[in-house]
Amino acid sequence: MKKTLALLFLSTSLLIGCGGEAKKSEEKQGIKINSSSSSNEKVKEEGISEVYLSGNDQMKYNKSQITVSAGDEVVLTFEHVGKLPKESMGHNFVLLKKGTNVQEFGQEALEYKDNDYIPEDSDVIIVHTDMLGGGQKTTITFQAPEKGDYDFICSFPGHVALMNGIFTVE
Ligand SMILES: [Cu+2]
């Protein structure tokens, strides 16, 4: 009889012990989740689409497709990872309205050297970054346009042929 009681006591305390352990690890997980969302790790924040785009001295973007979520605020960081100056190898990011003739826009942009090749009062530009030279970086924030596919280009003379891509809002 004494033995049974002792065993019962032992198993009960083991159960309690297990319960305590389980609770502890849950708490640990909770802390882990909290700390990762507040760190610099790439975690998708609610309502924000983060985009990183770069251009180089070979006249190339690092991506030809960008996808963001409809209704999101887009935080786009654009970096010129080359070494050449803005005057000879300038790069920008220009997002154009649907149905814009990209080649025609590129031609028009040629006439706006004094405005960093951004046609003044253009009604086909949704948003654009500054024109950057090697080593420069900029971030722009804008509201994602309605769902669909949009062209993005670099408007520096001659670059549109190689520096273009599709910006998709889904
Ligand atoms: Cu360019």
Side-chain angles (χ1 to χ4, degrees), residues 132-152:
L132 306 182
Q136 292 184 309
K137 190 173 167 179
T138 186
T139 298
I140 55 167
T141 302
F142 58 98
Q143 203 64 37
E146 60 175 51
K147 286 183 186 184
D149 291 332
Y150 301 80
D151 288 300
F152 71 87

Side-chain angles (χ1 to χ4, degrees), residues 56 59 61 78 89-92 131 154-156 159-160 163:
N56 62 19
M59 223 192 283
Y61 283 133
F78 178 54
M89 186 55 77
H91 296 317
N92 63 4
M131 186 71 74
C154 172
S155 68
F156 193 88
H159 287 201
V160 63
M163 300 187 75

